[in-house]
Amino acid sequence: MPSDPSHRASRAAPAAAEVAAEVEPARDTPAAMSDVSLPGPQGGLSDRDRRILALEGRTFRYVGAKERAIREQIGLSKVAYYVRLNALLDEPAALRAAPSVVHRLRGRRTSEDGAAGADDTHRVA
């Protein structure tokens, strides 16, 4: 019964599914899960979060220059900035956006905690 329309539709459906599988990547691959599946713009990072990470990647020459940049460019108080920065260090989206900055700050955060608890002398050198 090759002329039966329902028979032709059932043969065409697997072919269409194969074409769709070739075009659409698997949903459980890292590429498919990266930024598209995460909520919010750019995988969950707001514009303010990206500016915070960019500011942390900069170096400042003068005393108070970083605090001034925090107020003027980010629009946060110093305390609110560091609270948000600390929370960003635990977010995977921040790690994807600025891996070197996040790794450096995570290392600094853990080394200060670990150095105080390692020995009771609290010596730096």
Side-chain angles (χ1 to χ4, degrees):
M1 294 187 101
S3 63
D4 183 19
S6 63
H7 183 58
R8 276 186 278 167
S10 66
R11 278 193 320 203
E18 290 172 8
V19 171
E22 290 176 11
V23 174
E24 183 179 326
R27 295 189 190 277
D28 59 347
T29 62
M33 293 173 58
S34 63
D35 288 341
V36 178
S37 62
L38 297 172
Q42 298 294 320
L45 287 181
S46 67
D47 183 48
R48 179 180 283 175
D49 293 342
R50 286 189 297 279
R51 286 186 285 148
I52 288 172
L53 292 172
L55 188 70
E56 281 300 314
R58 292 175 44 193
T59 55
F60 296 92
R61 292 180 132 185
Y62 304 106
V63 175
K66 184 175 183 180
E67 286 76 15
R68 182 176 179 185
I70 290 169
R71 281 191 317 272
E72 293 176 356
Q73 296 174 10
I74 310 295
L76 292 174
S77 70
K78 182 177 159 183
V79 172
Y81 173 85
Y82 284 108
V83 166
R84 182 62 193 142
L85 177 63
N86 194 38
L88 274 173
L89 295 182
D90 297 326
E91 292 187 17
L95 182 61
R96 284 192 304 273
S100 60
V101 171
V102 171
H103 283 301
R104 177 176 53 85
L105 294 173
R106 280 181 180 175
R108 185 182 297 169
R109 178 173 68 176
T110 57
S111 69
E112 288 176 5
D113 294 340
D119 60 0
D120 292 332
T121 60
H122 301 290
R123 293 188 311 196
V124 176

